[in-house]
Amino acid sequence: MTKKCKKYTWLTIALVVLGLGIWAYTRWDVWFGNPPEAPYTASKTPTRVLLTFGNDGELSRMVSWMCGDKVDENAVLLLADSTDTVRVKAIGEVFESRAGKAAYYRAELKGLKAEHTYSYAVKTNGTLSKWYSFTTSNPESESFSFLYMGDVQDTINGVANILLKKAISRHPEVEFVAFGGDLIERPTDAYFAETFRSIDSVCTAMPIVNITGNHDYLKYLIRKCERRFALTFPYFLKGMEERNDNNHLFSFVYHNTQFFLLDSERGAYFLLQQKSWLKDRFDECNTKHKIVMLHHPLYSVKNKNNNLIERWVFNDMIQEAGVELVLQGHEHGYTHCTSYEEPLKGNECRNPPLYTVSHCAPKNYNLKPTERFSPVLSGSRYYQVIRVDEAAVTMLGYDANTQELVDSVRIINK
């Protein structure tokens, strides 16, 4: 090689290295930037009370809450109906974040009666919370409805609480609320407090289920979802302990439908672990309907090459298992598609699964849909009401600001 060729080779290498350095500098905060967490002190009275599903079948529930920064070994949940009041011992655990620490509690309620109303309160450090109530449904019923919201990640003092309560008011038939990840803007105490302000009164009256999104993770070389996420949504904990991993996975049966919650903000190694778990759950499943929830869309409406690893790991198995509906978020718009390149025609889907992307956040993204997506909506916030009956799953999409019906699809699994 001549001296001139060597000179140009080294110049090319230098320019490439410089270009990569500039690119990495401009993207560094996106990849690894974690906003600081302001110092906080946990409330000395029970707060952030949340009702969710338990790990012991359809007639089990879990209640979680936060109180103080030391575990009270005598913490209990009081459960009352018209005939009796029982004390359920709570499990407490202290979690220390980057800026403070708090004690988190959970109590599981097992063997509840169907179609029955219960009142409950939690007692920690000698202080009793307010009394709340919830009503169980009939597991033998072939029909039910629930409300789904994609990303919420509201700003401090945002309006998500108003939108959620308006949606519940319009659809009093819904029996629980599911969130598609990124319920918080960032994993800090201030944003957790904002989230509980948003779901206040709803999260104590009906079960809340939530999956992980990218905003629930701290950005390191290997991203990390802090344990306080699972302590807040404690249905993840039993599976994490049994598998001895940190994948936030959960499956539950509600009437004639099994739900499968995945943790898609992870690397390929962890996703393959989840694939094995999902296969086992599919093999065991004997319900009429199947619904999968994961944060990252398997068919991206933002860039057709996004989330290829998630699609490669999960999609074939989801299709082979006969899943009717895949609920997703992340891309801050509203749309749906099937696995076919052509858009769905009409209001019936006979080639499920139907893949839905939705969000209810103040931020909207620029979308670049291919022909497979229809309708494609942005510029507002959205939610869906999912109605399940013996024959089909029906998805109704609404504009959360106006309460206008913007989409309707009946999914029929042959």
Side-chain angles (χ1 to χ4, degrees):
M1 183 182 292
T2 65
K3 289 184 178 180
K4 188 174 182 180
C5 287
K6 288 182 178 180
K7 179 180 178 180
Y8 282 119
T9 298
W10 283 109
L11 179 61
T12 301
I13 293 172
L15 289 173
V16 170
V17 170
L18 178 63
L20 289 173
I22 293 172
W23 179 58
Y25 177 79
T26 59
R27 300 292 295 173
W28 190 262
D29 188 60
V30 175
W31 295 337
F32 303 112
N34 293 305
E37 181 172 17
Y40 63 92
T41 302
S43 169
K44 294 182 180 180
T45 59
T47 186
R48 302 184 190 178
V49 179
L50 180 139
L51 175 71
T52 187
F53 292 111
N55 296 114
D56 197 49
E58 186 168 349
L59 289 175
S60 68
R61 296 288 184 270
M62 194 101 70
V63 176
S64 64
W65 68 96
M66 190 178 84
C67 183
D69 57 10
K70 295 179 182 178
V71 170
D72 174 13
E73 299 294 342
N74 297 313
V76 295
L77 180 145
L78 304 179
L79 182 69
D81 61 12
S82 58
T83 60
D84 196 13
T85 299
V86 297
R87 296 166 64 90
V88 181
K89 184 173 176 55
I91 299 172
E93 179 179 332
V94 172
F95 173 77
E96 186 167 1
S97 73
R98 296 171 291 157
K101 63 180 180 178
Y104 292 81
Y105 297 87
R106 61 190 182 275
E108 187 160 15
L109 312 175
K110 302 178 181 180
L112 299 173
K113 301 174 185 177
E115 298 181 290
H116 201 74
T117 298
Y118 293 92
S119 297
Y120 69 97
V122 299
K123 187 175 183 180
T124 318
N125 300 327
T127 303
L128 191 68
S129 72
K130 295 191 300 184
W131 282 89
Y132 309 100
S133 65
F134 68 90
T135 300
T136 59
S137 61
N138 182 1
E140 302 301 319
S141 173
E142 290 287 354
S143 61
F144 68 94
S145 298
F146 69 96
L147 189 144
Y148 174 75
M149 282 186 171
D151 310 32
V152 174
Q153 53 184 113
D154 213 354
T155 56
I156 301 298
N157 297 319
V159 299
N161 60 331
I162 298 173
L163 300 181
L164 176 59
K165 289 170 184 175
K166 283 171 64 177
I168 296 292
S169 177
R170 173 161 183 182
H171 306 281
E173 73 278 10
V174 300
E175 299 180 20
F176 63 90
V177 181
F179 292 99
D182 286 3
L183 182 54
I184 55 174
E185 169 61 17
R186 291 294 177 190
T188 68
D189 184 74
Y191 280 117
F192 271 107
E194 175 60 29
T195 288
F196 273 89
R197 190 182 73 84
S198 297
I199 62 178
D200 177 52
S201 77
V202 176
C203 67
T204 54
M206 64 177 66
I208 300 291
V209 287
N210 180 33
I211 59 174
T212 55
N214 55 300
H215 281 249
D216 299 302
Y217 274 75
L218 289 171
K219 301 176 185 179
Y220 302 118
L221 188 59
I222 298 178
R223 297 193 170 192
K224 177 183 178 182
C225 185
E226 295 174 309
R227 186 167 173 82
R228 66 174 152 183
F229 185 90
L231 293 174
T232 302
F233 304 100
Y235 45 82
F236 292 120
L237 291 170
K238 182 179 179 181
M240 294 169 76
E241 181 179 343
E242 291 175 347
R243 297 186 309 271
N244 192 30
D245 66 26
N246 290 318
N247 291 310
H248 293 75
L249 305 171
F250 183 57
S251 182
F252 66 97
V253 173
Y254 197 81
H255 296 7
N256 54 5
T257 304
Q258 186 157 353
F259 292 78
F260 307 87
L261 280 57
L262 299 175
D263 184 4
S264 60
E265 179 61 13
R266 308 223 67 186
Y269 171 77
F270 301 102
L271 294 179
L272 288 171
Q273 288 181 334
Q274 295 180 37
K275 181 178 182 179
S276 177
W277 173 87
L278 185 60
K279 181 181 185 304
D280 289 343
R281 302 291 81 74
F282 281 153
D283 288 345
E284 299 165 356
C285 179
N286 57 10
T287 58
K288 173 74 174 178
H289 305 292
K290 303 180 185 74
I291 295 176
V292 169
M293 291 173 55
L294 79 165
H295 185 65
H296 294 78
L298 298 181
Y299 294 99
S300 172
V301 70
K302 191 177 178 186
N303 185 317
K304 66 179 181 180
N305 295 319
N306 283 354
N307 314 323
L308 294 179
I309 294 177
E310 288 84 354
R311 192 192 310 174
W312 171 69
V313 171
F314 296 123
N315 203 34
D316 286 349
M317 189 164 52
I318 285 173
Q319 293 176 4
E320 292 167 3
V323 171
E324 281 112 318
L325 182 60
V326 182
L327 295 170
Q328 308 159 125
H330 189 56
E331 297 189 338
H332 290 228
Y334 178 86
T335 190
H336 61 66
C337 71
T338 69
S339 60
Y340 295 86
E341 292 291 343
E342 299 80 16
L344 184 68
K345 296 178 181 179
N347 292 330
E348 279 196 354
C349 174
R350 292 183 174 271
N351 53 354
L354 185 77
Y355 302 85
T356 298
V357 178
S358 185
H359 86 111
C360 196
K363 295 182 291 185
N364 289 275
Y365 291 168
N366 291 323
L367 305 178
K368 298 178 181 178
T370 59
E371 290 184 359
R372 70 166 70 237
F373 298 100
S374 179
V376 179
L377 306 174
S378 63
S380 189
R381 305 190 193 196
Y382 308 92
Y383 69 86
Q384 288 101 282
V385 172
I386 314 299
R387 296 176 180 169
V388 181
D389 58 38
E390 184 177 5
V393 176
T394 301
M395 184 188 72
L396 304 171
Y398 292 87
D399 185 306
N401 287 306
T402 65
Q403 298 295 308
E404 176 190 1
L405 179 67
V406 295
D407 190 27
S408 175
V409 183
R410 185 167 173 81
I411 308 161
I412 301 173
N413 206 352
K414 298 177 183 178

